[in-house]
Amino acid sequence: MIFGLFKRKSGNIAIVERQYALLTAAARQPFLYTDLAVPDTVMGRFEMLSAILILYFRRTRASARTGQEIAQEIVDAFFEDVDHSIRELGVGDAGVPKKMKKFAGMFYGRLESYAAALEQRDGQALAAALLRNFHPDAREGPSMDGLAAYLLATEAALSETPEEVVEAGQLRIPPAGA
């Protein structure tokens, strides 16, 4: 990976690279876009990666210190990746901090709204939050029930993942549509 972040934190480089690659691959599963109403757009991909990362962070919040340190480095990698993408889309250096602040606010807002529904295992509330975020301009968008069910099932599966798998950066997100 090209992230300068990985050069600064040598202890967990391979673990963070491996885990971030697994998480981004999970967010890019074609089934999510073809069958679960995730828009195949820049914002749709941001939303999906955010949702996957939120599940990952919820899993690692109960981890030992090593798992939490890796999770923080993955957050850093995610935002560095967002920064890189913003620049690739042509936003000048002066506009990047403002855009980054907006994306950070979006991410942490989703963390709160999804967490509330996930805590209650409330598929309807989660589907409503997903609809607001994935399809913000649609008065009555597509059903997000399938995506909500997938995220709830994924969180349940991740809770069963042994700690040594998390600390090794080998936590795998179950495939969508399986």
Side-chain angles (χ1 to χ4, degrees):
M1 294 201 152
I2 60 174
F3 304 6
L5 158 78
F6 298 130
K7 294 176 188 156
R8 292 190 300 264
K9 297 179 181 175
S10 61
N12 295 327
I13 293 172
I15 294 169
V16 172
E17 284 182 342
R18 179 173 45 249
Q19 187 62 71
Y20 191 69
L22 289 170
L23 295 169
T24 55
R28 292 178 179 152
Q29 297 176 77
F31 187 83
L32 298 169
Y33 301 89
T34 59
D35 292 54
L36 295 184
V38 175
D40 193 7
T41 63
V42 171
M43 287 309 298
R45 290 186 292 276
F46 169 82
E47 293 293 350
M48 196 62 236
L49 182 54
S50 294
I52 294 293
L53 288 172
I54 288 166
L55 296 179
Y56 174 76
F57 299 138
R58 288 177 53 80
R59 168 56 185 87
T60 59
R61 70 182 175 190
S63 293
R65 184 172 178 206
T66 303
Q68 291 179 7
E69 287 172 1
I70 292 166
Q72 181 58 55
E73 290 181 44
I74 287 173
V75 169
D76 296 343
F78 171 62
F79 283 110
E80 193 163 326
D81 203 11
V82 169
D83 180 278
H84 180 73
S85 295
I86 290 171
R87 291 175 193 278
E88 279 188 348
L89 291 172
V91 175
D93 288 342
V96 171
K98 184 177 178 180
K99 291 279 188 192
M100 287 299 296
K101 185 175 181 180
K102 178 182 175 185
F103 279 107
M106 290 169 61
F107 177 78
Y108 288 108
R110 280 136 182 81
L111 180 62
E112 288 182 30
S113 67
Y114 297 167
L118 289 164
E119 288 293 327
Q120 299 298 315
R121 300 210 37 84
D122 185 341
Q124 289 184 330
L126 183 56
L130 292 166
L131 180 62
R132 282 191 309 273
N133 295 320
F134 282 78
H135 300 279
D137 298 327
R139 286 191 179 160
E140 292 205 26
S143 171
M144 300 303 284
D145 292 342
L147 183 59
Y150 170 68
L151 295 176
L152 285 165
T154 297
E155 181 168 64
L158 295 181
S159 71
E160 302 296 320
T161 304
E163 190 62 30
E164 55 273 8
V165 172
V166 174
E167 290 181 5
Q170 297 177 336
L171 185 140
R172 294 189 183 276
I173 303 296

